[in-house]
Amino acid sequence: MTEKALQQLKTAEIEKISHLDYFNIGITVDCVILGYDEKELKVLLIKSDMQEFSGLYSLLGDFIKPDEDLETASYRILKERTGLDDVYLEQVHTFGGLKRHPSGRVITIAYYSLIDIRNHKLQLSHNELHWHPVTEIRKLAFDHKLILDTCLGRLREQVMEHPVIFNLLPEKFSLRELQELYEAILGVELDRRNFRKKISIKDWLVDIDEMENNVPHRPGRLYTLKKQYKTKGSGTKVLALH
Amino acid sequence: MTEKALQQLKTAEIEKISHLDYFNIGITVDCVILGYDEKELKVLLIKSDMQEFSGLYSLLGDFIKPDEDLETASYRILKERTGLDDVYLEQVHTFGGLKRHPSGRVITIAYYSLIDIRNHKLQLSHNELHWHPVTEIRKLAFDHKLILDTCLGRLREQVMEHPVIFNLLPEKFSLRELQELYEAILGVELDRRNFRKKISIKDWLVDIDEMENNVPHRPGRLYTLKKQYKTKGSGTKVLALH
DNA sequence: TAATAAATATGTACTTACGACACATTAATT
DNA sequence: AATTAATGTGTCGTAAGTACATATTTATTA
């Protein structure tokens, strides 16, 4: 058997195998990185580098490495793009449509992440990275608009049951800021007085001024989430804002 | 070259390819098929055919085919195993741990499905398939116990907000059956009278007897879900059982 | 600097939902 | 026919939700 014949045999086997089921599918992770700034919910996007989508923006994603599990891959993308590593991250949905990627079959696992844009550690990796208000987004590359909407839907659900919203705010915040953030996420207007009541009834917050023995009871005072509720995971602590 | 040498070569190539980046990851779909019978929530399991897990049961799953999207694959598995094709199915979570499958990297997308065990169309494909009460399951093959628990958790959430529970019941059912099913899923006891109130206040149900002009108002009467709430998808109709 | 405007903090009244419980009615059992 | 078990309906007290009013503090401006 000649070397060439052997090579042909190998190639044939490779062909065969790579056309076998289960071997020709790419796996990526896409991150919907959400922040809150200027009274708007924003998502971090990058200009798509694919010809098919020239001019369009896309979510931040990458192929997973063979020795990397899904959470590790998402944290890696977040760290690479934002410099942050202690962030809230949650898997939302896996998208596996046949035609979703122009260059072949790619299945993507979508995560969403909540970060504090005003965090001083935030350091975007690229000039091509920008924050876009979610209300202004009409079209994205791939099926990323669908992914974004799915994640926003999940966020709206989560926000009603879990204290995830505080990941979008700085350590100290006013009640008005918190309310405006709820309104931005839920797309509704809330009564200022009733909102305040729900929050305080639930005993989530610490009054910074009272805690530090400053002059209490002046308007515009700042609060922080009580320690026992602070969690980067989805957590079990319930904050129902029904 | 002997047949044996050729076989070795093939095996070697397969080994090689299976270590390439992005090409050596298998994708499967696993279905947590849930039913309700004898006042218990049950899951359909099969005896694992892998040596590593001899004696253990596993969920029903399969590799996805290259030309098959995720939902299609799940419906195929369901159809193959149960003969049913008009069922409730929902994606829950994707599991991608490095060590979850003994023969290599396999990522699995988990779905759960709700079916009516008493449906006459139900036809199990195998003698090895059995219904197991979920409360009695301690250990499963792979990470399938984790997958099962994740799906049960999702079901408990869904059941509080959406009318998915009716997929587990036959067309006609008594209020007591419905209540016992809620109790089985949520793991709590409910007050019969208050439960009844919540249900009827929400105006979900049709009294079969009244509808068919039989003698109304006798005990043990049967109900059915109103048409406008019937949906195989997650739906938007809300049935909050807070 | 005093008057006005804007934003904040707290309170009240009405309505609705929830949870615990009592009682009447029908079907099955003895 | 009497007893038991299960089903159907109602009441009441409490907690939560919603709408709205008023007072206080800070910012603005004449």
Side-chain angles (χ1 to χ4, degrees):
Chain A
M1 205 177 202
T2 65
E3 190 60 35
K4 194 174 168 187
L6 185 60
Q7 191 56 51
Q8 278 182 346
L9 177 61
K10 284 190 187 179
T11 312
E13 282 305 319
I14 293 175
E15 278 293 303
K16 207 162 137 194
I17 291 163
S18 70
H19 282 89
L20 276 178
D21 300 357
Y22 341 132
F23 282 87
N24 57 348
I25 301 180
I27 311 289
T28 62
V29 162
D30 281 308
C31 292
V32 175
I33 303 175
L34 297 170
Y36 179 65
D37 197 25
E38 295 167 325
K39 307 196 174 186
E40 283 184 304
L41 191 64
K42 295 182 178 180
V43 59
L44 193 58
L45 299 175
I46 191 168
K47 263 227 168 77
S48 175
D49 52 1
M50 296 202 73
Q51 264 198 335
E52 289 87 344
F53 300 122
S54 72
L56 292 180
Y57 285 86
S58 73
L59 299 171
L60 302 176
D62 194 8
F63 284 88
I64 65 167
K65 299 185 189 299
D67 58 346
E68 188 181 52
D69 71 27
L70 306 178
E71 279 71 27
T72 307
S74 336
Y75 280 117
R76 174 172 58 81
I77 291 169
L78 265 161
K79 176 75 177 173
E80 284 173 3
R81 300 306 196 169
T82 67
L84 301 177
D85 52 11
D86 184 30
V87 293
Y88 177 83
L89 190 70
E90 180 175 318
Q91 192 192 110
V92 175
H93 197 82
T94 296
F95 297 83
L98 297 174
K99 303 289 185 190
R100 59 175 299 280
H101 199 293
S103 51
R105 180 93 197 258
V106 178
I107 292 175
T108 196
I109 298 126
Y111 284 76
Y112 82 84
S113 170
L114 305 178
I115 70 172
D116 168 21
I117 292 187
R118 287 164 284 184
N119 186 330
H120 60 282
K121 288 188 211 153
L122 178 63
Q123 185 75 43
L124 298 184
S125 67
H126 243 246
N127 289 337
E128 301 286 299
L129 285 176
H130 297 291
W131 291 102
H132 298 252
V134 294
T135 53
E136 294 171 11
I137 294 168
R138 297 279 164 272
K139 203 176 172 189
L140 293 174
F142 309 98
D143 54 355
H144 285 187
K145 179 67 162 69
L146 174 63
I147 295 179
L148 172 63
D149 290 341
T150 304
C151 287
L152 291 175
R154 174 69 66 90
L155 174 59
R156 276 188 282 270
E157 289 173 18
Q158 282 291 104
V159 122
M160 297 299 287
E161 299 291 340
H162 299 281
V164 297
I165 202 169
F166 300 98
N167 292 298
L168 290 164
L169 290 170
E171 183 71 17
K172 299 178 184 184
F173 50 84
S174 68
L175 282 183
R176 169 147 294 265
E177 268 184 303
L178 182 61
Q179 183 184 337
E180 283 169 347
L181 177 50
Y182 268 108
E183 291 174 334
I185 292 173
L186 298 174
V188 294
E189 298 223 327
L190 301 172
D191 184 280
R192 197 164 40 81
R193 302 156 286 193
N194 294 333
F195 176 79
R196 170 179 227 65
K197 219 186 307 179
K198 282 189 190 179
I199 300 296
S200 55
I201 281 174
K202 298 292 179 187
D203 290 326
W204 298 354
L205 304 182
V206 179
D207 184 318
I208 296 275
D209 296 317
E210 280 191 6
M211 194 175 65
E212 297 176 353
N213 289 322
N214 290 349
V215 185
H217 292 282
R218 60 169 168 67
R221 60 179 122 161
L222 297 175
Y223 296 86
T224 192
L225 183 62
K226 282 192 179 177
K227 267 187 196 150
Q228 66 258 42
Y229 299 119
K230 288 184 185 175
T231 164
K232 294 292 176 189
S234 63
T236 53
K237 302 300 172 59
V238 172
L239 184 168
L241 194 81
H242 290 295
Chain B
M1 205 179 203
T2 65
E3 190 58 35
K4 191 175 171 189
L6 183 62
Q7 192 54 51
Q8 279 182 345
L9 177 64
K10 284 188 185 178
T11 311
E13 282 305 320
I14 292 176
E15 279 293 304
K16 205 161 138 194
I17 291 166
S18 71
H19 284 91
L20 278 175
D21 296 359
Y22 324 135
F23 282 89
N24 59 345
I25 302 181
I27 310 290
T28 62
V29 162
D30 281 308
C31 293
V32 175
I33 303 175
L34 298 170
Y36 179 65
D37 196 26
E38 295 168 325
K39 307 199 174 183
E40 284 184 301
L41 191 64
K42 296 183 177 180
V43 59
L44 193 59
L45 299 175
I46 190 168
K47 265 228 168 77
S48 176
D49 52 0
M50 297 201 74
Q51 264 197 334
E52 289 87 346
F53 300 122
S54 72
L56 292 180
Y57 285 86
S58 72
L59 299 170
L60 301 176
D62 194 9
F63 285 90
I64 66 166
K65 297 182 190 301
D67 60 345
E68 186 181 54
D69 70 27
L70 306 178
E71 278 71 27
T72 308
S74 334
Y75 280 118
R76 174 172 58 80
I77 291 168
L78 265 161
K79 176 73 178 176
E80 284 172 3
R81 299 307 196 167
T82 67
L84 302 177
D85 51 12
D86 184 29
V87 292
Y88 176 82
L89 191 68
E90 181 176 318
Q91 192 193 109
V92 174
H93 197 82
T94 296
F95 296 83
L98 296 174
K99 302 288 183 190
R100 59 175 298 281
H101 199 294
S103 51
R105 180 97 198 253
V106 178
I107 293 176
T108 195
I109 299 126
Y111 284 78
Y112 81 85
S113 170
L114 304 179
I115 71 173
D116 168 22
I117 293 187
R118 286 165 284 185
N119 187 329
H120 61 283
K121 287 186 211 152
L122 177 63
Q123 184 77 41
L124 299 185
S125 67
H126 243 248
N127 289 337
E128 301 288 299
L129 285 176
H130 297 291
W131 291 102
H132 298 252
V134 295
T135 53
E136 295 172 10
I137 295 169
R138 296 280 165 272
K139 201 175 173 192
L140 294 173
F142 309 100
D143 53 356
H144 285 188
K145 180 65 161 70
L146 174 62
I147 295 179
L148 172 63
D149 289 341
T150 305
C151 287
L152 290 175
R154 174 68 67 89
L155 174 60
R156 276 187 282 270
E157 288 172 20
Q158 282 290 103
V159 123
M160 297 300 286
E161 299 291 338
H162 299 282
V164 296
I165 201 170
F166 300 99
N167 292 298
L168 289 164
L169 290 172
E171 182 73 15
K172 300 178 184 182
F173 49 86
S174 68
L175 282 183
R176 168 147 296 264
E177 270 183 304
L178 182 60
Q179 182 185 337
E180 284 169 346
L181 178 48
Y182 268 107
E183 292 174 335
I185 292 173
L186 298 174
V188 294
E189 296 225 328
L190 301 172
D191 184 281
R192 194 168 43 84
R193 300 155 288 192
N194 294 333
F195 176 79
R196 169 176 227 76
K197 220 187 303 181
K198 282 189 188 176
I199 299 296
S200 55
I201 282 174
K202 297 292 179 187
D203 289 326
W204 298 354
L205 304 182
V206 180
D207 185 318
I208 296 273
D209 295 317
E210 279 189 8
M211 194 177 68
E212 297 176 352
N213 289 320
N214 291 349
V215 186
H217 292 280
R218 60 167 169 69
R221 61 178 122 159
L222 297 175
Y223 296 85
T224 192
L225 183 62
K226 281 191 179 179
K227 267 187 196 150
Q228 66 257 40
Y229 299 119
K230 287 185 186 175
T231 165
K232 293 292 174 189
S234 64
T236 53
K237 303 300 173 56
V238 172
L239 184 168
L241 193 79
H242 290 293

